[in-house]
Amino acid sequence: MARPQPRRFLRGRRPSLGAESQPASDRFGRFTEWIARAMGTPAFLALLTLFCAMWMAWNTLAPLERRFDSAAIGFTALTLILSLQASYAAPLILLAQNRQDDRDRVALEQDRQRAERNLADTEYLAREIVALRMTVQELEQRVATRDVIRQELAELLRELDERGRDEDRAEETR
């Protein structure tokens, strides 16, 4: 049975509805990227700040029997929640960065290959242009040589005509 080909990541493209289901590791990877993207937004920071402010306000201003985290001992539950969030956020962000590094590495390799092809094409075209210039120069030299030869032939014809006339005159005078 043939193995399915690994799917390549295309920036900005989502798989079609008919595509086979993604492996669990890819789904987890996309989840980590979503978390990393969400945690880096101003909205997340604003919501986290609002959550902490409401937590502290409730546990400071609410009646004693309704409070669930004591301000006297430094909001221990809030500290634990924020520590738990940070302890999960850091590895998720690192996983997302690793996936991005892999995509960047692939993109750099493709760019390098494209640059090599462009360089080879450019060098080929440069050689062709040089060959064309040399051919044009050769043709120009041939044309110049032809013109020179024509001029010299014309001069020789004039000289021959003059000699012929001189000989005709010499014969007439004899």
Side-chain angles (χ1 to χ4, degrees):
M1 200 171 169
R3 294 168 124 188
Q5 293 292 328
R7 294 180 61 95
R8 291 184 15 218
F9 177 80
L10 297 174
R11 217 172 271 230
R13 305 254 341 247
R14 293 183 182 218
S16 63
L17 293 176
E20 66 275 355
S21 66
Q22 296 291 318
S25 64
D26 192 49
R27 274 186 253 138
F28 183 72
R30 285 186 287 139
F31 172 73
T32 60
E33 288 175 343
W34 179 80
I35 292 290
R37 232 178 273 119
M39 290 182 122
T41 62
F44 175 79
L45 294 174
L47 287 174
L48 187 62
T49 303
L50 182 65
F51 172 78
C52 291
M54 287 175 43
W55 183 287
M56 288 188 281
W58 178 265
N59 288 299
T60 304
L61 303 174
L64 284 175
E65 61 274 354
R66 298 228 181 232
R67 295 180 191 176
F68 49 85
D69 193 13
S70 174
I73 57 173
F75 300 109
T76 306
L78 178 62
T79 304
L80 288 173
I81 289 172
L82 292 175
S83 296
L84 182 67
Q85 181 264 336
S87 68
Y88 276 98
L92 290 175
I93 290 170
L94 287 174
L95 285 172
Q97 285 177 341
N98 288 341
R99 284 175 51 94
Q100 185 62 46
D101 288 344
D102 291 342
R103 281 194 300 271
D104 290 344
R105 197 172 300 114
V106 168
L108 282 172
E109 179 63 23
Q110 290 173 348
D111 288 346
R112 186 188 62 75
Q113 290 172 353
R114 194 175 305 116
E116 285 177 356
R117 283 192 307 266
N118 287 341
L119 180 62
D121 290 346
T122 303
E123 288 174 349
Y124 171 76
L125 291 173
R127 285 191 303 271
E128 289 297 312
I129 289 172
V130 168
L132 286 172
R133 283 184 178 171
M134 291 172 65
T135 304
V136 166
Q137 285 177 349
E138 235 177 80
L139 289 174
E140 287 174 350
Q141 287 175 351
R142 284 184 188 168
V143 168
T145 306
R146 286 181 188 162
D147 289 343
V148 168
I149 291 173
R150 284 182 184 153
Q151 287 175 351
E152 290 193 19
L153 284 174
E155 286 178 26
L156 286 172
L157 283 174
R158 276 188 231 119
E159 284 180 22
L160 287 174
D161 285 343
E162 287 176 15
R163 282 185 189 171
R165 285 186 207 135
D166 289 342
E167 287 177 6
D168 287 343
R169 287 185 200 147
E171 285 180 15
E172 287 177 6
T173 55
R174 284 190 208 165

CSV table of all heavy atoms in Angstrom, one decimal, residues 107-163:
chain,number,residue,atom,x,y,z
A,107,ALA,N,11.9,27.5,3.0
A,107,ALA,CA,11.8,28.7,2.1
A,107,ALA,C,13.2,29.2,1.7
A,107,ALA,O,13.4,29.5,0.5
A,107,ALA,CB,11.0,29.8,2.8
A,108,LEU,N,14.1,29.2,2.6
A,108,LEU,CA,15.5,29.6,2.3
A,108,LEU,C,16.1,28.7,1.3
A,108,LEU,O,16.8,29.2,0.4
A,108,LEU,CB,16.4,29.7,3.6
A,108,LEU,CG,16.1,30.9,4.5
A,108,LEU,CD1,16.9,30.8,5.8
A,108,LEU,CD2,16.6,32.2,3.8
A,109,GLU,N,15.9,27.4,1.5
A,109,GLU,CA,16.5,26.4,0.5
A,109,GLU,C,15.9,26.7,-0.9
A,109,GLU,O,16.6,26.6,-1.9
A,109,GLU,CB,16.2,25.0,1.0
A,109,GLU,CG,16.8,23.9,0.0
A,109,GLU,CD,18.3,24.0,-0.1
A,109,GLU,OE1,19.0,24.5,0.7
A,109,GLU,OE2,18.7,23.5,-1.2
A,110,GLN,N,14.6,26.9,-0.9
A,110,GLN,CA,13.9,27.1,-2.2
A,110,GLN,C,14.5,28.4,-2.8
A,110,GLN,O,14.7,28.5,-4.0
A,110,GLN,CB,12.4,27.2,-2.1
A,110,GLN,CG,11.8,25.8,-1.8
A,110,GLN,CD,10.3,25.9,-1.4
A,110,GLN,OE1,9.8,27.0,-1.2
A,110,GLN,NE2,9.7,24.8,-1.4
A,111,ASP,N,14.6,29.5,-2.0
A,111,ASP,CA,15.2,30.7,-2.5
A,111,ASP,C,16.6,30.6,-3.0
A,111,ASP,O,17.0,31.1,-4.0
A,111,ASP,CB,15.2,31.8,-1.4
A,111,ASP,CG,13.8,32.3,-1.0
A,111,ASP,OD1,12.8,32.0,-1.8
A,111,ASP,OD2,13.6,32.9,0.0
A,112,ARG,N,17.4,29.8,-2.3
A,112,ARG,CA,18.8,29.5,-2.7
A,112,ARG,C,18.8,28.8,-4.1
A,112,ARG,O,19.6,29.2,-5.0
A,112,ARG,CB,19.5,28.7,-1.7
A,112,ARG,CG,21.0,28.5,-2.0
A,112,ARG,CD,21.7,27.5,-1.0
A,112,ARG,NE,21.1,26.2,-1.1
A,112,ARG,CZ,21.3,25.3,-2.1
A,112,ARG,NH1,22.1,25.7,-3.1
A,112,ARG,NH2,20.8,24.1,-2.1
A,113,GLN,N,17.9,27.8,-4.2
A,113,GLN,CA,17.9,27.1,-5.5
A,113,GLN,C,17.4,28.0,-6.6
A,113,GLN,O,18.0,28.0,-7.7
A,113,GLN,CB,16.9,25.9,-5.4
A,113,GLN,CG,17.5,24.8,-4.5
A,113,GLN,CD,16.5,23.7,-4.3
A,113,GLN,OE1,15.3,23.8,-4.6
A,113,GLN,NE2,16.9,22.6,-3.6
A,114,ARG,N,16.4,28.8,-6.3
A,114,ARG,CA,15.9,29.8,-7.3
A,114,ARG,C,17.0,30.8,-7.7
A,114,ARG,O,17.2,31.1,-8.9
A,114,ARG,CB,14.7,30.5,-6.8
A,114,ARG,CG,13.9,31.3,-7.8
A,114,ARG,CD,12.6,31.9,-7.2
A,114,ARG,NE,11.8,30.9,-6.6
A,114,ARG,CZ,11.5,30.9,-5.3
A,114,ARG,NH1,12.0,31.8,-4.5
A,114,ARG,NH2,10.7,30.0,-4.8
A,115,ALA,N,17.8,31.2,-6.7
A,115,ALA,CA,18.9,32.2,-7.0
A,115,ALA,C,20.0,31.5,-7.8
A,115,ALA,O,20.5,32.1,-8.7
A,115,ALA,CB,19.5,32.7,-5.7
A,116,GLU,N,20.3,30.2,-7.6
A,116,GLU,CA,21.3,29.5,-8.4
A,116,GLU,C,20.8,29.4,-9.8
A,116,GLU,O,21.6,29.6,-10.7
A,116,GLU,CB,21.5,28.1,-7.8
A,116,GLU,CG,22.4,28.1,-6.6
A,116,GLU,CD,22.5,26.7,-6.0
A,116,GLU,OE1,21.9,25.7,-6.5
A,116,GLU,OE2,23.3,26.6,-5.0
A,117,ARG,N,19.5,29.1,-10.0
A,117,ARG,CA,19.0,29.0,-11.4
A,117,ARG,C,19.0,30.3,-12.0
A,117,ARG,O,19.4,30.4,-13.2
A,117,ARG,CB,17.5,28.5,-11.3
A,117,ARG,CG,17.4,27.0,-11.1
A,117,ARG,CD,16.0,26.5,-11.4
A,117,ARG,NE,15.0,27.2,-10.7
A,117,ARG,CZ,14.5,26.8,-9.5
A,117,ARG,NH1,14.9,25.7,-8.9
A,117,ARG,NH2,13.5,27.5,-8.9
A,118,ASN,N,18.7,31.4,-11.3
A,118,ASN,CA,18.7,32.7,-11.9
A,118,ASN,C,20.1,33.1,-12.3
A,118,ASN,O,20.4,33.7,-13.3
A,118,ASN,CB,18.1,33.8,-10.9
A,118,ASN,CG,16.6,33.7,-10.8
A,118,ASN,OD1,16.0,33.1,-11.7
A,118,ASN,ND2,16.1,34.2,-9.8
A,119,LEU,N,21.1,32.8,-11.4
A,119,LEU,CA,22.5,33.1,-11.7
A,119,LEU,C,23.0,32.3,-13.0
A,119,LEU,O,23.6,32.9,-13.8
A,119,LEU,CB,23.4,32.7,-10.5
A,119,LEU,CG,24.9,33.0,-10.7
A,119,LEU,CD1,25.1,34.5,-10.9
A,119,LEU,CD2,25.6,32.5,-9.5
A,120,ALA,N,22.6,31.0,-13.0
A,120,ALA,CA,23.0,30.2,-14.2
A,120,ALA,C,22.3,30.8,-15.5
A,120,ALA,O,23.0,31.0,-16.5
A,120,ALA,CB,22.6,28.8,-14.0
A,121,ASP,N,21.1,31.2,-15.4
A,121,ASP,CA,20.4,31.8,-16.5
A,121,ASP,C,21.1,33.1,-16.9
A,121,ASP,O,21.3,33.4,-18.1
A,121,ASP,CB,18.9,32.1,-16.2
A,121,ASP,CG,18.1,30.8,-16.2
A,121,ASP,OD1,18.7,29.7,-16.6
A,121,ASP,OD2,17.0,30.8,-15.6
A,122,THR,N,21.4,33.9,-15.9
A,122,THR,CA,22.0,35.2,-16.2
A,122,THR,C,23.4,35.0,-16.9
A,122,THR,O,23.7,35.8,-17.8
A,122,THR,CB,22.2,36.0,-14.9
A,122,THR,OG1,20.9,36.2,-14.3
A,122,THR,CG2,22.8,37.4,-15.1
A,123,GLU,N,24.2,34.1,-16.3
A,123,GLU,CA,25.5,33.8,-16.9
A,123,GLU,C,25.3,33.4,-18.4
A,123,GLU,O,26.1,33.8,-19.3
A,123,GLU,CB,26.3,32.8,-16.1
A,123,GLU,CG,26.7,33.4,-14.8
A,123,GLU,CD,27.4,32.3,-13.9
A,123,GLU,OE1,27.3,31.1,-14.2
A,123,GLU,OE2,28.0,32.7,-12.9
A,124,TYR,N,24.4,32.5,-18.6
A,124,TYR,CA,24.2,32.0,-20.0
A,124,TYR,C,23.8,33.2,-20.9
A,124,TYR,O,24.3,33.3,-22.0
A,124,TYR,CB,23.0,30.9,-20.0
A,124,TYR,CG,22.6,30.6,-21.4
A,124,TYR,CD1,23.4,29.7,-22.2
A,124,TYR,CD2,21.4,31.1,-21.9
A,124,TYR,CE1,22.9,29.4,-23.4
A,124,TYR,CE2,21.0,30.7,-23.1
A,124,TYR,CZ,21.7,29.9,-23.9
A,124,TYR,OH,21.3,29.6,-25.2
A,125,LEU,N,22.9,34.0,-20.4
A,125,LEU,CA,22.5,35.2,-21.3
A,125,LEU,C,23.6,36.1,-21.5
A,125,LEU,O,23.8,36.7,-22.6
A,125,LEU,CB,21.3,35.9,-20.6
A,125,LEU,CG,20.0,35.1,-20.6
A,125,LEU,CD1,18.9,35.8,-19.8
A,125,LEU,CD2,19.5,34.9,-22.0
A,126,ALA,N,24.5,36.3,-20.5
A,126,ALA,CA,25.6,37.2,-20.6
A,126,ALA,C,26.6,36.6,-21.7
A,126,ALA,O,27.1,37.4,-22.5
A,126,ALA,CB,26.4,37.4,-19.3
A,127,ARG,N,26.8,35.3,-21.7
A,127,ARG,CA,27.7,34.7,-22.7
A,127,ARG,C,27.1,34.8,-24.1
A,127,ARG,O,27.8,35.1,-25.0
A,127,ARG,CB,27.9,33.2,-22.4
A,127,ARG,CG,28.8,33.0,-21.2
A,127,ARG,CD,29.2,31.5,-21.1
A,127,ARG,NE,28.1,30.6,-20.9
A,127,ARG,CZ,27.6,30.2,-19.8
A,127,ARG,NH1,28.1,30.7,-18.6
A,127,ARG,NH2,26.6,29.4,-19.7
A,128,GLU,N,25.8,34.7,-24.2
A,128,GLU,CA,25.1,34.8,-25.5
A,128,GLU,C,25.2,36.3,-26.0
A,128,GLU,O,25.5,36.5,-27.2
A,128,GLU,CB,23.6,34.4,-25.4
A,128,GLU,CG,23.4,32.9,-25.2
A,128,GLU,CD,23.9,32.1,-26.4
A,128,GLU,OE1,23.6,32.5,-27.5
A,128,GLU,OE2,24.6,31.1,-26.2
A,129,ILE,N,25.1,37.2,-25.1
A,129,ILE,CA,25.2,38.6,-25.5
A,129,ILE,C,26.6,38.9,-26.0
A,129,ILE,O,26.8,39.6,-27.0
A,129,ILE,CB,24.7,39.6,-24.3
A,129,ILE,CG1,23.2,39.5,-24.1
A,129,ILE,CG2,25.2,41.0,-24.6
A,129,ILE,CD1,22.7,40.2,-22.9
A,130,VAL,N,27.6,38.4,-25.2
A,130,VAL,CA,29.0,38.6,-25.7
A,130,VAL,C,29.2,38.0,-27.0
A,130,VAL,O,29.9,38.6,-27.9
A,130,VAL,CB,30.0,38.0,-24.6
A,130,VAL,CG1,31.4,38.0,-25.1
A,130,VAL,CG2,29.9,38.9,-23.3
A,131,ALA,N,28.7,36.8,-27.2
A,131,ALA,CA,28.9,36.1,-28.5
A,131,ALA,C,28.2,37.0,-29.7
A,131,ALA,O,28.8,37.1,-30.7
A,131,ALA,CB,28.3,34.7,-28.5
A,132,LEU,N,27.0,37.5,-29.4
A,132,LEU,CA,26.3,38.3,-30.4
A,132,LEU,C,27.1,39.6,-30.7
A,132,LEU,O,27.3,40.0,-31.8
A,132,LEU,CB,24.9,38.7,-29.9
A,132,LEU,CG,23.9,37.6,-30.0
A,132,LEU,CD1,22.6,38.0,-29.3
A,132,LEU,CD2,23.6,37.2,-31.4
A,133,ARG,N,27.7,40.2,-29.6
A,133,ARG,CA,28.5,41.4,-29.8
A,133,ARG,C,29.7,41.2,-30.7
A,133,ARG,O,30.1,41.9,-31.6
A,133,ARG,CB,28.9,42.0,-28.5
A,133,ARG,CG,27.8,42.8,-27.8
A,133,ARG,CD,28.3,43.4,-26.5
A,133,ARG,NE,27.3,44.1,-25.9
A,133,ARG,CZ,27.4,44.6,-24.6
A,133,ARG,NH1,28.5,44.5,-24.0
A,133,ARG,NH2,26.4,45.3,-24.1
A,134,MET,N,30.4,40.0,-30.4
A,134,MET,CA,31.5,39.7,-31.2
A,134,MET,C,31.2,39.4,-32.6
A,134,MET,O,31.9,39.8,-33.5
A,134,MET,CB,32.2,38.4,-30.5
A,134,MET,CG,32.9,38.7,-29.2
A,134,MET,SD,33.5,37.3,-28.3
A,134,MET,CE,34.8,36.7,-29.4
A,135,THR,N,30.1,38.8,-32.8
A,135,THR,CA,29.6,38.5,-34.2
A,135,THR,C,29.3,39.8,-34.9
A,135,THR,O,29.7,40.0,-36.1
A,135,THR,CB,28.4,37.6,-34.2
A,135,THR,OG1,28.7,36.4,-33.5
A,135,THR,CG2,27.9,37.2,-35.6
A,136,VAL,N,28.6,40.7,-34.2
A,136,VAL,CA,28.3,42.0,-34.8
A,136,VAL,C,29.6,42.8,-35.2
A,136,VAL,O,29.7,43.4,-36.3
A,136,VAL,CB,27.4,42.8,-33.9
A,136,VAL,CG1,27.3,44.3,-34.3
A,136,VAL,CG2,26.0,42.2,-33.9
A,137,GLN,N,30.6,42.8,-34.3
A,137,GLN,CA,31.8,43.4,-34.5
A,137,GLN,C,32.5,42.8,-35.7
A,137,GLN,O,33.1,43.5,-36.6
A,137,GLN,CB,32.7,43.4,-33.3
A,137,GLN,CG,32.4,44.3,-32.2
A,137,GLN,CD,33.2,44.1,-31.0
A,137,GLN,OE1,34.0,43.2,-30.9
A,137,GLN,NE2,33.1,45.1,-30.0
A,138,GLU,N,32.5,41.5,-35.8
A,138,GLU,CA,33.1,40.8,-36.9
A,138,GLU,C,32.5,41.2,-38.2
A,138,GLU,O,33.1,41.5,-39.2
A,138,GLU,CB,33.0,39.3,-36.8
A,138,GLU,CG,34.2,38.5,-36.8
A,138,GLU,CD,34.0,37.0,-36.5
A,138,GLU,OE1,33.6,36.3,-37.5
A,138,GLU,OE2,34.2,36.6,-35.4
A,139,LEU,N,31.1,41.3,-38.2
A,139,LEU,CA,30.4,41.7,-39.4
A,139,LEU,C,30.7,43.1,-39.8
A,139,LEU,O,30.9,43.4,-41.0
A,139,LEU,CB,28.9,41.5,-39.2
A,139,LEU,CG,28.4,40.1,-39.2
A,139,LEU,CD1,26.9,40.0,-38.8
A,139,LEU,CD2,28.6,39.4,-40.5
A,140,GLU,N,30.8,44.0,-38.8
A,140,GLU,CA,31.2,45.4,-39.1
A,140,GLU,C,32.6,45.5,-39.7
A,140,GLU,O,32.8,46.2,-40.6
A,140,GLU,CB,31.1,46.2,-37.8
A,140,GLU,CG,29.7,46.5,-37.3
A,140,GLU,CD,29.7,47.2,-36.0
A,140,GLU,OE1,30.7,47.3,-35.3
A,140,GLU,OE2,28.6,47.6,-35.6
A,141,GLN,N,33.5,44.7,-39.2
A,141,GLN,CA,34.9,44.7,-39.7
A,141,GLN,C,34.8,44.2,-41.1
A,141,GLN,O,35.5,44.7,-42.0
A,141,GLN,CB,35.8,43.8,-38.9
A,141,GLN,CG,36.1,44.4,-37.5
A,141,GLN,CD,36.9,43.5,-36.6
A,141,GLN,OE1,37.1,42.3,-37.0
A,141,GLN,NE2,37.4,44.0,-35.6
A,142,ARG,N,34.0,43.1,-41.4
A,142,ARG,CA,33.9,42.6,-42.8
A,142,ARG,C,33.4,43.7,-43.7
A,142,ARG,O,33.8,43.9,-44.8
A,142,ARG,CB,33.1,41.4,-42.8
A,142,ARG,CG,33.8,40.1,-42.3
A,142,ARG,CD,32.9,38.9,-42.5
A,142,ARG,NE,33.5,37.8,-41.8
A,142,ARG,CZ,32.8,36.7,-41.6
A,142,ARG,NH1,31.6,36.6,-42.0
A,142,ARG,NH2,33.4,35.7,-41.0
A,143,VAL,N,32.3,44.4,-43.2
A,143,VAL,CA,31.7,45.4,-44.1
A,143,VAL,C,32.8,46.5,-44.3
A,143,VAL,O,32.9,47.0,-45.4
A,143,VAL,CB,30.5,46.0,-43.4
A,143,VAL,CG1,30.0,47.3,-44.0
A,143,VAL,CG2,29.4,44.9,-43.4
A,144,ALA,N,33.5,46.9,-43.2
A,144,ALA,CA,34.5,47.9,-43.4
A,144,ALA,C,35.6,47.4,-44.4
A,144,ALA,O,36.1,48.2,-45.2
A,144,ALA,CB,35.1,48.3,-42.1
A,145,THR,N,36.0,46.2,-44.3
A,145,THR,CA,37.0,45.6,-45.2
A,145,THR,C,36.4,45.6,-46.6
A,145,THR,O,37.2,45.9,-47.5
A,145,THR,CB,37.3,44.2,-44.7
A,145,THR,OG1,37.7,44.2,-43.3
A,145,THR,CG2,38.5,43.6,-45.5
A,146,ARG,N,35.2,45.2,-46.8
A,146,ARG,CA,34.6,45.3,-48.1
A,146,ARG,C,34.6,46.7,-48.7
A,146,ARG,O,34.9,46.9,-49.9
A,146,ARG,CB,33.2,44.8,-48.0
A,146,ARG,CG,33.1,43.3,-47.9
A,146,ARG,CD,31.6,42.9,-47.8
A,146,ARG,NE,31.5,41.5,-47.5
A,146,ARG,CZ,30.4,40.9,-47.1
A,146,ARG,NH1,29.3,41.6,-46.9
A,146,ARG,NH2,30.4,39.6,-46.7
A,147,ASP,N,34.3,47.6,-47.8
A,147,ASP,CA,34.3,49.0,-48.3
A,147,ASP,C,35.7,49.5,-48.7
A,147,ASP,O,35.9,50.1,-49.7
A,147,ASP,CB,33.7,50.0,-47.2
A,147,ASP,CG,32.2,49.8,-47.0
A,147,ASP,OD1,31.6,49.2,-47.9
A,147,ASP,OD2,31.7,50.3,-46.0
A,148,VAL,N,36.7,49.1,-47.9
A,148,VAL,CA,38.1,49.4,-48.2
A,148,VAL,C,38.5,48.8,-49.5
A,148,VAL,O,39.1,49.4,-50.4
A,148,VAL,CB,39.0,49.0,-47.1
A,148,VAL,CG1,40.5,49.1,-47.5
A,148,VAL,CG2,38.7,49.9,-45.8
A,149,ILE,N,38.1,47.5,-49.7
A,149,ILE,CA,38.5,46.8,-50.9
A,149,ILE,C,37.8,47.4,-52.1
A,149,ILE,O,38.4,47.6,-53.2
A,149,ILE,CB,38.1,45.3,-50.8
A,149,ILE,CG1,39.0,44.6,-49.8
A,149,ILE,CG2,38.2,44.6,-52.1
A,149,ILE,CD1,38.6,43.2,-49.4
A,150,ARG,N,36.5,47.8,-51.9
A,150,ARG,CA,35.8,48.4,-53.0
A,150,ARG,C,36.5,49.7,-53.4
A,150,ARG,O,36.6,50.1,-54.6
A,150,ARG,CB,34.4,48.7,-52.7
A,150,ARG,CG,33.5,47.4,-52.7
A,150,ARG,CD,32.1,47.7,-52.3
A,150,ARG,NE,31.3,46.5,-52.3
A,150,ARG,CZ,30.3,46.3,-51.6
A,150,ARG,NH1,29.8,47.2,-50.8
A,150,ARG,NH2,29.7,45.1,-51.6
A,151,GLN,N,36.9,50.5,-52.4
A,151,GLN,CA,37.5,51.8,-52.7
A,151,GLN,C,38.9,51.6,-53.4
A,151,GLN,O,39.2,52.3,-54.4
A,151,GLN,CB,37.8,52.6,-51.4
A,151,GLN,CG,36.5,53.2,-50.8
A,151,GLN,CD,36.8,53.8,-49.5
A,151,GLN,OE1,37.9,53.7,-48.9
A,151,GLN,NE2,35.8,54.6,-49.0
A,152,GLU,N,39.6,50.6,-52.9
A,152,GLU,CA,40.9,50.3,-53.6
A,152,GLU,C,40.7,49.8,-55.0
A,152,GLU,O,41.5,50.1,-55.9
A,152,GLU,CB,41.7,49.3,-52.8
A,152,GLU,CG,42.2,50.0,-51.5
A,152,GLU,CD,43.2,49.1,-50.8
A,152,GLU,OE1,43.9,48.2,-51.4
A,152,GLU,OE2,43.4,49.4,-49.6
A,153,LEU,N,39.7,48.9,-55.2
A,153,LEU,CA,39.4,48.5,-56.6
A,153,LEU,C,39.0,49.6,-57.5
A,153,LEU,O,39.4,49.7,-58.6
A,153,LEU,CB,38.3,47.4,-56.5
A,153,LEU,CG,38.7,46.0,-56.1
A,153,LEU,CD1,37.5,45.1,-55.9
A,153,LEU,CD2,39.7,45.4,-57.0
A,154,ALA,N,38.2,50.6,-56.9
A,154,ALA,CA,37.8,51.7,-57.7
A,154,ALA,C,39.0,52.5,-58.1
A,154,ALA,O,39.2,53.0,-59.2
A,154,ALA,CB,36.8,52.6,-56.9
A,155,GLU,N,40.0,52.7,-57.1
A,155,GLU,CA,41.2,53.5,-57.4
A,155,GLU,C,42.0,52.7,-58.5
A,155,GLU,O,42.6,53.4,-59.4
A,155,GLU,CB,42.0,53.7,-56.2
A,155,GLU,CG,41.4,54.7,-55.2
A,155,GLU,CD,42.2,54.8,-53.9
A,155,GLU,OE1,43.5,54.5,-54.0
A,155,GLU,OE2,41.7,55.2,-52.9
A,156,LEU,N,42.1,51.4,-58.3
A,156,LEU,CA,42.9,50.6,-59.3
A,156,LEU,C,42.2,50.7,-60.7
A,156,LEU,O,42.9,50.9,-61.7
A,156,LEU,CB,43.0,49.2,-58.9
A,156,LEU,CG,43.9,48.8,-57.8
A,156,LEU,CD1,43.8,47.4,-57.3
A,156,LEU,CD2,45.3,49.1,-58.2
A,157,LEU,N,40.9,50.7,-60.7
A,157,LEU,CA,40.2,50.9,-62.0
A,157,LEU,C,40.5,52.3,-62.6
A,157,LEU,O,40.7,52.4,-63.8
A,157,LEU,CB,38.7,50.7,-61.9
A,157,LEU,CG,38.2,49.3,-61.7
A,157,LEU,CD1,36.7,49.2,-61.4
A,157,LEU,CD2,38.5,48.5,-63.0
A,158,ARG,N,40.5,53.3,-61.8
A,158,ARG,CA,40.9,54.6,-62.3
A,158,ARG,C,42.3,54.7,-62.8
A,158,ARG,O,42.5,55.2,-63.9
A,158,ARG,CB,40.7,55.7,-61.2
A,158,ARG,CG,39.3,56.1,-61.0
A,158,ARG,CD,39.2,57.3,-60.0
A,158,ARG,NE,38.2,57.0,-59.1
A,158,ARG,CZ,38.3,56.8,-57.8
A,158,ARG,NH1,39.5,57.0,-57.2
A,158,ARG,NH2,37.3,56.5,-57.0
A,159,GLU,N,43.2,54.0,-62.1
A,159,GLU,CA,44.6,54.0,-62.5
A,159,GLU,C,44.7,53.2,-63.9
A,159,GLU,O,45.4,53.7,-64.8
A,159,GLU,CB,45.5,53.3,-61.5
A,159,GLU,CG,45.8,54.2,-60.3
A,159,GLU,CD,46.7,53.5,-59.3
A,159,GLU,OE1,47.4,52.5,-59.7
A,159,GLU,OE2,46.6,53.9,-58.1
A,160,LEU,N,44.0,52.1,-64.0
A,160,LEU,CA,44.0,51.3,-65.2
A,160,LEU,C,43.4,52.2,-66.3
A,160,LEU,O,43.9,52.1,-67.5
A,160,LEU,CB,43.3,50.0,-65.0
A,160,LEU,CG,44.0,48.9,-64.2
A,160,LEU,CD1,43.0,47.7,-64.0
A,160,LEU,CD2,45.2,48.5,-64.9
A,161,ASP,N,42.3,52.9,-66.0
A,161,ASP,CA,41.7,53.7,-67.1
A,161,ASP,C,42.7,54.8,-67.5
A,161,ASP,O,42.9,55.1,-68.7
A,161,ASP,CB,40.4,54.4,-66.6
A,161,ASP,CG,39.3,53.4,-66.5
A,161,ASP,OD1,39.4,52.3,-67.2
A,161,ASP,OD2,38.3,53.7,-65.8
A,162,GLU,N,43.4,55.4,-66.5
A,162,GLU,CA,44.4,56.4,-66.9
A,162,GLU,C,45.5,55.8,-67.7
A,162,GLU,O,46.0,56.5,-68.7
A,162,GLU,CB,44.9,57.1,-65.6
A,162,GLU,CG,43.9,58.0,-64.9
A,162,GLU,CD,44.4,58.6,-63.6
A,162,GLU,OE1,45.6,58.5,-63.4
A,162,GLU,OE2,43.6,59.1,-62.9
A,163,ARG,N,46.0,54.7,-67.3
A,163,ARG,CA,47.1,54.0,-68.0
A,163,ARG,C,46.6,53.7,-69.4
A,163,ARG,O,47.4,53.8,-70.4
A,163,ARG,CB,47.5,52.7,-67.3
A,163,ARG,CG,48.4,53.0,-66.2
A,163,ARG,CD,48.9,51.7,-65.6
A,163,ARG,NE,49.6,51.9,-64.4
A,163,ARG,CZ,50.0,50.9,-63.6
A,163,ARG,NH1,49.8,49.6,-63.9
A,163,ARG,NH2,50.6,51.2,-62.5
